[in-house]
Amino acid sequence: MAGAFFVAIVFSVAVLASLLTGVFLVVTKQWHSNFTSDHAGSGPQKLHVGAVPRIGGIALMTGFSVALLIAKITIPNGEEINAPVWFILALFVPFAVGLGEDITQRFGPLSRLLATFVGASLAYFFCGATIVRFDVPPVDALVALHPAIAFGFTLFCVGGIAHAFNLADGLNGLLAGLTLTAGAAVAAVAHMTGDVFVFTIATALIGAIVGFALLNFPRAWLFAGDGGAYLLGSALAIALILLCNRHPAVSPWFAFMVVLYPFTDTTYSIYRRWRAGNPIMSPDAEHLHSLLARRFNTLYGEHGRNLASAAVVIASALFVAAATSVYTATLKLVALAVAYVVIYVIVYRIVSSSVEADSCKQVNVSLD
């Protein structure tokens, strides 16, 4: 594995490149705000105040790409950092389409999903990011039937995870916190398995997120936007696929645990929209983190949103840390996943009921 000095170089370069790019975007906001900023109330899921640029993905992409290329040049045994340019290109496709949506509002969910498929295809063919197992015997047998099936599962998982992280980008610091937690877990397991390439990817990603997070929490000067969310989701999905593929001891259920909050929240959102007869892809403010923010706003005032974001990140981090400690033990990981989903549903119903009660109280007060 690379020494601490070279790890520090990769991390520092990522932080600085991301932060400086982000500061530039914020400082020049007056020149591009008309087509790059989110405004309060511009959508049901927009809970912020004021106009904030939603092109933070540029900072994330810059920090990550520069750090990964520097790593290839700087780190001893740099030949172990395979195909960094192809990995960057695999992320650039969903990032670019997401950024296009941030600026023009003309790239819908299908376009962005197809972009993640293209990026996953590049990673599949040029980086070796292939799903070969799920540690579920019937599914594993299906995947083993033909490479085309493994290819299809790879596209589906990368696209699904990237979209889930995009939906989780609803509060200051939430996306950054969730992806920092996930990146740290990937880095830890990559270090334990001696995987220089995946460890370097995770380190560069963590650094880029830290640089961006300084401008996103507690006050949001910059949003990741669709470009940033699809970049981070795709990067984590591909890194996790590489980790499981290159190291048979790593359970696929570890990968599942790392992305469990976005996955659970997205799946539950699809279910409740379907039950309500609403389009399953339409945005709303009924995600767990959105409801928690409304509840905490009632209890704690203007700091409620940030407290809700912190609560979700900390809860997720606890489960991810537990999963990292047993990353080879599939049965324990399955038990953790089941426990997480059960707790999620219980908490969602409690918070939803509380928010509904708060709304009724406000209506009664206004009538009085």
Side-chain angles (χ1 to χ4, degrees):
M1 289 293 292
F5 175 72
F6 297 100
V7 172
I9 288 178
V10 173
F11 176 77
S12 299
V13 167
V15 172
L16 288 174
S18 177
L19 178 60
L20 291 176
T21 304
V23 169
F24 175 78
L25 295 172
V26 172
V27 170
T28 59
K29 168 184 167 181
Q30 58 183 347
W31 297 331
H32 55 74
S33 181
N34 287 340
F35 54 90
T36 65
S37 289
D38 260 343
H39 298 270
S42 58
Q45 77 280 26
K46 311 293 186 182
L47 301 179
H48 62 280
V49 177
V52 180
R54 57 178 176 269
I55 52 174
I58 297 174
L60 289 162
M61 189 71 195
T62 301
F64 175 77
S65 301
V66 171
L68 193 58
L69 292 174
I70 290 292
K72 177 66 175 178
I73 299 169
T74 307
I75 290 182
N77 299 320
E79 66 275 3
E80 294 183 38
I81 304 176
N82 306 311
V85 174
W86 283 113
F87 194 94
I88 292 169
L89 287 174
L91 301 185
F92 183 80
V93 177
F95 157 73
V97 174
L99 183 64
E101 166 64 11
D102 293 328
I103 295 173
T104 68
Q105 309 293 299
R106 294 182 179 177
F107 293 85
L110 180 58
S111 298
R112 285 173 271 148
L113 181 64
L114 292 175
T116 63
F117 287 174
V118 174
S121 298
L122 291 173
Y124 178 93
F125 288 110
F126 298 104
C127 302
T130 308
I131 288 181
V132 294
R133 59 195 169 86
F134 289 88
D135 279 5
V136 179
V139 181
D140 289 349
L142 178 63
V143 172
L145 286 177
H146 196 277
I149 298 175
F151 178 65
F153 271 113
T154 301
L155 300 192
F156 176 78
C157 288
V158 173
I161 291 170
H163 184 67
F165 272 104
N166 186 48
L167 293 180
D169 186 19
L171 298 173
N172 293 358
L174 181 58
L175 177 67
L178 291 172
T179 51
L180 271 176
T181 299
V186 172
V189 173
H191 184 269
M192 287 186 279
T193 55
D195 195 315
V196 175
F197 184 38
V198 176
F199 180 75
T200 306
I201 288 170
T203 302
L205 195 64
I206 291 169
I209 296 167
V210 169
F212 163 76
L214 293 173
L215 300 171
N216 183 250
F217 188 86
R219 176 175 177 178
W221 300 92
L222 190 64
F223 288 148
D226 286 358
Y230 278 96
L231 162 67
L232 294 177
S234 296
L236 286 168
I238 294 169
L240 285 164
I241 290 171
L242 284 170
L243 199 57
C244 293
N245 186 12
R246 292 152 67 103
H247 306 282
V250 179
S251 172
W253 284 84
F254 163 73
F256 184 53
M257 281 299 304
V258 168
V259 299
L260 194 51
Y261 176 78
F263 176 85
T264 305
D265 189 64
T266 299
T267 303
Y268 195 74
S269 296
I270 290 172
Y271 167 72
R272 60 177 173 74
R273 289 168 186 165
W274 171 76
R275 282 200 62 183
N278 298 324
I280 61 173
M281 298 299 287
S282 62
D284 60 32
E286 303 299 318
H287 295 277
L288 176 57
H289 51 267
S290 304
L291 294 175
L292 201 59
R294 286 154 62 185
R295 178 60 178 156
F296 280 9
N297 278 349
T298 300
L299 295 174
Y300 309 112
E302 62 180 10
H303 301 296
R305 296 186 187 92
N306 287 343
L307 290 174
S309 181
V312 172
V313 170
I314 291 171
S316 179
L318 291 174
F319 275 89
V320 172
T324 303
S325 69
V326 292
Y327 70 92
T328 62
T330 294
L331 290 180
K332 292 180 181 178
L333 290 164
V334 171
L336 274 174
V338 171
Y340 187 96
V341 171
V342 170
I343 292 171
Y344 174 94
V345 173
I346 293 172
V347 171
Y348 186 96
R349 292 183 177 179
I350 292 172
V351 175
S352 180
S353 297
S354 298
V355 169
E356 187 176 349
D358 291 340
S359 299
C360 291
K361 289 178 183 178
Q362 291 174 1
V363 170
N364 290 334
V365 169
S366 63
L367 289 176
D368 292 341

